[in-house]
Amino acid sequence: KAGVTQTPRYLIKTRGQQVTLSCSPISGHRSVSWYQQTPGQGLQFLFEYFSETQRNKGNFPGRFSGRQFSNSRSEMNVSTLELGDSALYLCASRDRDQETQYFGPGTRLLVL
Amino acid sequence: AQSVTQLGSHVSVSEGALVLLRCNYSSSVPPYLFWYVQYPNQGLQLLLKYTSAATLVKGINGFEAEFKKSETSFHLTKPSAHMSDAAEYFCAVRVSGGYNKLIFGAGTRLAVHP
């Protein structure tokens, strides 16, 4: 099976803009989670979706949002970008009854 | 609340030497614990996981970890380091009742020198 894919891999935006990142989970996986990785804060949980419903949310401002489509693909959106949003955004998918999350290669976002 | 502490942000070993990366967790319930590895410019790859079965868990690339409840530890070891093991390693605990939510340690960067 193909792994988790994320697009785009790299992105440069300016402050105040918004951005949408995409994640395609492993075929058959219905759960998708998003994480932000920065040198200062490390890996932090953003949110999790299962069957198009957000099941869990991390401690991030409302500028961070996401959604999941009927084919389990997920997008996350960050509005009004700030310099501190520069990070590697990782998506992970999980099979229904399994504990393991499988991560994609990430999208590296640079906000100037 | 669950948490993970990785002792040592940087570890350096010689090729062929023992690798020991330390992880301590805090959890009020039996935890699910994971070790992931991250190579430069890549995502996270699962090395191994503990899910309350055997306390000694074997993973990929010769790594293993032992769950010790009395010490609340889940240290990662490899008998003989290889140059290709140089990467960043993350210990994580799955939040109980938190479905997919993982709490990660700060990571340990492993350097392997000839």
Side-chain angles (χ1 to χ4, degrees):
Chain A
K1 286 184 180 178
V4 177
T5 58
Q6 293 186 245
T7 56
R9 290 294 310 277
Y10 303 92
L11 207 49
I12 300 176
K13 292 286 188 180
T14 56
R15 279 180 300 174
Q17 287 187 311
Q18 74 165 14
V19 67
T20 299
L21 311 181
S22 181
C23 170
S24 293
I26 292 171
S27 177
H29 288 193
R30 294 166 61 191
S31 171
V32 173
S33 293
W34 290 88
Y35 292 81
Q36 182 196 63
Q37 185 178 25
T38 60
Q41 299 299 318
L43 282 153
Q44 294 185 287
F45 173 81
L46 279 158
F47 27 64
E48 179 211 353
Y49 287 87
F50 181 83
S51 293
E52 303 178 63
T53 301
Q54 186 180 92
R55 294 204 303 185
N56 211 345
K57 190 177 191 304
N59 188 27
F60 279 82
R63 300 185 296 108
F64 291 81
S65 63
R67 59 178 176 169
Q68 187 179 33
F69 301 95
S70 58
N71 62 357
S72 295
R73 190 177 68 85
S74 177
E75 290 181 345
M76 66 163 283
N77 183 276
V78 188
S79 62
T80 320
L81 284 166
E82 300 177 0
L83 296 180
D85 297 333
S86 295
L88 180 67
Y89 290 89
L90 293 164
C91 168
S93 75
R94 181 176 71 98
D95 199 359
R96 179 186 176 91
D97 296 320
Q98 303 298 315
E99 301 85 12
T100 303
Q101 296 186 50
Y102 296 91
F103 285 80
T107 293
R108 187 165 296 280
L109 172 65
L110 177 62
V111 181
L112 301 175
Chain B
Q2 283 142 314
S3 64
V4 173
T5 302
Q6 291 185 240
L7 297 175
S9 59
H10 290 81
V11 170
S12 182
V13 300
S14 300
E15 192 173 19
L18 171 72
V19 175
L20 171 60
L21 305 182
R22 300 179 186 275
C23 172
N24 287 89
Y25 69 91
S26 171
S27 176
S28 58
V29 297
Y32 287 168
L33 295 162
F34 305 82
W35 274 101
Y36 284 89
V37 61
Q38 185 176 37
Y39 298 99
N41 298 315
Q42 294 188 27
L44 302 175
Q45 180 182 6
L46 179 71
L47 279 176
L48 50 80
K49 63 182 179 183
Y50 169 76
T51 57
S52 75
T55 56
L56 182 62
V57 181
K58 294 187 183 298
I60 62 171
N61 301 338
F63 284 94
E64 63 181 38
E66 186 173 8
F67 173 73
K68 292 187 176 180
K69 184 178 178 180
S70 61
E71 299 177 8
T72 61
S73 69
F74 190 55
H75 302 331
L76 182 70
T77 60
K78 181 174 181 177
S80 177
H82 191 271
M83 297 295 288
S84 61
D85 294 327
E88 190 155 22
Y89 293 78
F90 294 92
C91 183
V93 62
R94 195 184 83 169
V95 175
S96 59
Y99 303 103
N100 250 2
K101 182 177 180 178
L102 292 176
I103 303 294
F104 285 90
T108 297
R109 187 167 298 277
L110 175 67
V112 182
H113 50 86

